[in-house]
């Protein structure tokens, strides 16, 4: 195992030029490869390597957080977890993640499919694009990956071995545990927020019910090792065209509660919703807002339909065994159990979503949806609505029953009928 | 590493005679040791080794389930998990588990303190002994081990490493997953029950709400990796004198929900309660019944008092951090969070307790409390009450609020006011 060395645009062809899997896809003459560094994420180096035969993505982890620098070390093994998550997701929902061509554990390098002409979903939503397939694709993706990675479907011996494997992803879990669930609710050093939010920030940090609920969600996140999560499933982790959807960047993968991926994903659509009024320079976004609420509903509906199908067709794990229900001709018992499971995911999803909305506005890692609104007063107004929405759904999560309830609430906040 | 070989009374002194830690406690001349095999459990060999200097217990796992035979293989590594659980429990509640003198992983041998004149708690309860300290000792034991093994107290990196370590205890988890949560609710081959129970067994196996609830508890058991559990904490895993209480046999240890240990422990006191009328040949057991209900209440009360003390004094983990509550002078938020945690343990404990009561009467591993009632009709009557109690508390677990409610219910069933 050679010592870790960060790739550069000039060293990359030399270092990877002998890999048959890459030469096959880029071209046999590495000296003719063109390499661009395009990483705009918080953590890693990302290169596009182009040649006569085509192009690939080369992603390399760095031993620190790129966004912060060497003062915040972060282990290279996150690349190992990303690789292992990607191959599992590819099995569980084929075609929804980039194909992997090469993995070098010691150098923390993953070489994968170059997605083109895909763009980041968050960017598309900021631009006001209505993508017709994402509700279905993402709803199916969460249903399939969450169901098939759990004791509902897996042989429990394999699930427990996988749980142990991913339990070592400590440092990335630590980021979520601190930055998502705790930092937003007190004056943590890494926090920042838009000027103008001071009053509501003070209010939220004194909000006992919200703080306790956020910590209850953290308890669930840390303790409920239910399935292999993506772990960072926001709209910046999805690449899209009008007819293709791909999920990328699962380095936060670990065994956690199903509701976490669901809640984080949906929260990012609600943030997009509340950010739209900051992007109306080229025309109103009413149709875009309606599209976003419809998409949330479509994600949830697709998720429940596909989860239900898998429940009936692939429930071969140790939980809710057919030997107790269907095999005894009590199909209604199976439905009763299914409703319980989906009800719990729904309830917990709202808690995770509310917390995600807070941390993206008050914590370290902000969303381009809001950040690209240049007018600070306008941005603060958008963010205020999102903060209020997040607080409401997290604290009232046991009393809200449908995406339609939430759409109505979002509209009333947006129209300032409630404030 | 030498090949595994089961100890016998004659080979034991030869094989362990050179271990200084044993010679020191038994005597320097192994040829003068006297060895008795006393294992009456379901799984292992247990020897008492006596000599001039004293005595020790030698426990050796076998590569199969002793109760069933070689047709049911069970890996030796359970001895490794027992050892690791014992040393953690000794740290978390000093003096409550036997002291370990020697561990041989390859031979699956643990040499430990010989507890004398201790007897198994279950035996004492069958005999009608009222032990004055067990409520406090066991309440403190569960509070301390469950709290201190969780993210409430541990450094989360260490907890996650421990979670991964114990995730390999697959085969013993599998026993619980099948024998406790599923087998009692259908005609599983290993089941047996007292003649006369046919009607209620049919009723329970057709009881949709009960079966779904049992599977929900299984889901929680398998997914909520909250703390290091004993994993088999019944009254047969406790040794007592009038003034000493020790917990033994944690080979089922793994990371699971706090409520599991609590519920299994308390369920065994309720089973003792309902079995008492089968042991009244030498006089009535009214005082014993009152003692058992008081003990359940004392276990729960002690648990909550000690858990609360630890919450305030040792809550240094990642959950419910003081930085969000006490440090911001919002002590009431900390109390609110604590009530939420204890409420959840209470609610889930009732579910686990109900299931434990069913499996001990309908499944493979029965309790001496009932088994020692020779009169089958009398035994069936006792077991029927326990089955009904278990069903009631599991299905209504969100609506029952105190040990006093449960004591009243138990008394009404016992007196056949409700049937």
């Amino acid at each position: 195992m050679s010592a870790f060395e960060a790739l550069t645009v000039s060293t990359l062809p030399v270092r990877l030029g002998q890999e048959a899997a890459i030469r096959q896809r880029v071209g046999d003459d590495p000296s003719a490869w063109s390499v661009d560094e395009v990483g705009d994420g918080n953590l890693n180096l990302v290169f596009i390597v182009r040649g006569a035969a085509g192009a690939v993505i080369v992603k390399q982890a760095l031993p620190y957080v790129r966004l912060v620098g060497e003062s915040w070390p972060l282990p290279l093994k996150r690349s190992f977890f990303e690789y292992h998550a990607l191959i599992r997701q590819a099995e569980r929902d084929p075609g929804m993640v980039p194909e992997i061509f090469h993995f070098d554990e010691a150098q923390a390098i993953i070489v994968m499919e170059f997605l083109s002409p895909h763009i980041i979903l968050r960017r598309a939503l900021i631009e006001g694009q209505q993508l017709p397939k994402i509700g279905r694709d993402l709803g199916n993706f969460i249903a399939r990956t969450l169901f098939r990675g759990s004791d509902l479907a897996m042989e429990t011996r394999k699930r427990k071995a996988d749980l142990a494997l991913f339990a070592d992803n400590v440092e990335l879990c630590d980021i979520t545990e601190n930055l998502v669930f705790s930092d937003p609710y007190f004056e943590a050093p890494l926090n920042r927020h838009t000027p103008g939010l001071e009053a509501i920030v003070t209010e939220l940090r004194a909000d006992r019910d919200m703080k306790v609920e956020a910590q209850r969600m953290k308890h669930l996140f840390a303790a409920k090792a239910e399935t292999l999560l993506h772990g960072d499933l926001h709209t910046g982790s999805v690449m899209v065209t009008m007819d293709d959807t791909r999920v990328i960047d699962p380095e936060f993968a670990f065994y956690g509660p199903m509701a976490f991926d669901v809640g984080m994903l949906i929260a990012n659509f609600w943030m997009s919703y509340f950010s739209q009024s900051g992007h109306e320079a080229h025309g109103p976004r009413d149709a875009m807002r309606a599209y976003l609420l419809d998409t949330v509903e479509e994600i949830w509906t697709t998720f429940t339909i596909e989860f239900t199908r898998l429940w009936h067709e692939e429930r071969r794990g140790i939980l809710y065994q057919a030997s107790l229900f269907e095999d005894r001709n009590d199909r209604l018992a199976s439905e009763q159990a299914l409703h319980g499971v989906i009800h719990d995911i729904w309830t917990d999803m709202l808690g995770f979503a509310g917390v995600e909305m807070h941390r993206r506005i008050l914590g370290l890692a902000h969303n381009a949806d809001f950040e690209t609104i240049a007018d600070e007063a306008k941005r603060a107004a958008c963010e205020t609505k999102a903060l209020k929405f997040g607080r409401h759904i997290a604290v009232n999560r046991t009393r809200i029953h449908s995406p339609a309830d939430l759409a109505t609430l979002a509209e009333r906040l947006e129209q300032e009928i409630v404030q």
Side-chain angles (χ1 to χ4, degrees), chain A residues 25-42:
Chain A
R25 283 162 184 96
V26 179
D28 268 335
D29 177 8
S31 68
W33 293 359
S34 85
V35 182
D36 295 296
E37 212 280 305
V38 296
D40 61 352
N42 298 334

Side-chain angles (χ1 to χ4, degrees), chain A residues 301-344:
Chain A
T301 305
T302 304
F303 169 74
T304 58
I305 290 171
E306 180 66 1
F307 196 93
T308 299
R309 184 187 73 76
L310 294 168
W311 180 274
H312 290 127
E313 295 178 10
E314 296 187 12
R315 202 173 82 254
R316 289 187 283 269
I318 62 168
L319 301 183
Y320 310 99
Q321 291 147 303
S323 53
L324 291 162
F325 301 143
E326 287 89 341
D327 295 355
R328 296 181 58 85
N329 213 18
D330 190 356
R331 292 178 178 276
L332 211 46
S334 167
E335 301 297 321
Q336 180 166 322
L338 171 63
H339 279 139
V341 170
I342 290 179
H343 168 82
D344 288 348

Side-chain angles (χ1 to χ4, degrees), chain A residues 60 167 262 342 415:
Chain A
Q60 185 178 37
V262 183
I342 290 179
Q415 294 160 19

